[in-house]
Amino acid sequence: MARLMAVAETVMLQSAETEKESQKMRAALYAPPKGMTRAELRRKRPPGMALTSMQAEALAAQLAAEDAQLMKGRSG
């Protein structure tokens, strides 16, 4: 996907007739969505990424159990 985006960017920038136009296109391409500052984008989590304390505890317990199982296999 990253390669496809790089190719698309290159093609788009090649259509610019001047360096100034190229810089303008690049700035528009990498600008944050309208209405959001860069700081807001950094703070915002993707949907579904927040865990409740119960979910975090369950995940920690699951990881501890998997870790114990892996360590048991190494020592045997």
Side-chain angles (χ1 to χ4, degrees):
M1 183 71 162
R3 185 176 179 152
L4 179 62
M5 293 299 291
V7 169
E9 177 187 1
T10 302
V11 169
M12 188 176 98
L13 294 176
Q14 285 176 347
S15 69
E17 294 179 8
T18 65
E19 181 62 29
K20 188 172 185 172
E21 191 177 334
S22 174
Q23 290 172 348
K24 209 175 197 183
M25 285 181 175
R26 189 175 287 115
L29 182 63
Y30 291 105
K34 291 185 180 190
M36 293 191 82
T37 64
R38 289 185 189 272
E40 289 172 326
L41 287 172
R42 281 193 298 271
R43 284 192 300 259
K44 188 173 180 180
R45 287 188 182 140
M49 293 301 293
L51 291 177
T52 65
S53 60
M54 287 182 68
Q55 290 172 321
E57 287 177 19
L59 180 59
Q62 180 183 351
L63 292 173
E66 289 178 10
D67 189 45
Q69 200 171 28
L70 289 172
M71 295 306 283
K72 182 180 171 184
R74 281 187 175 180
S75 63

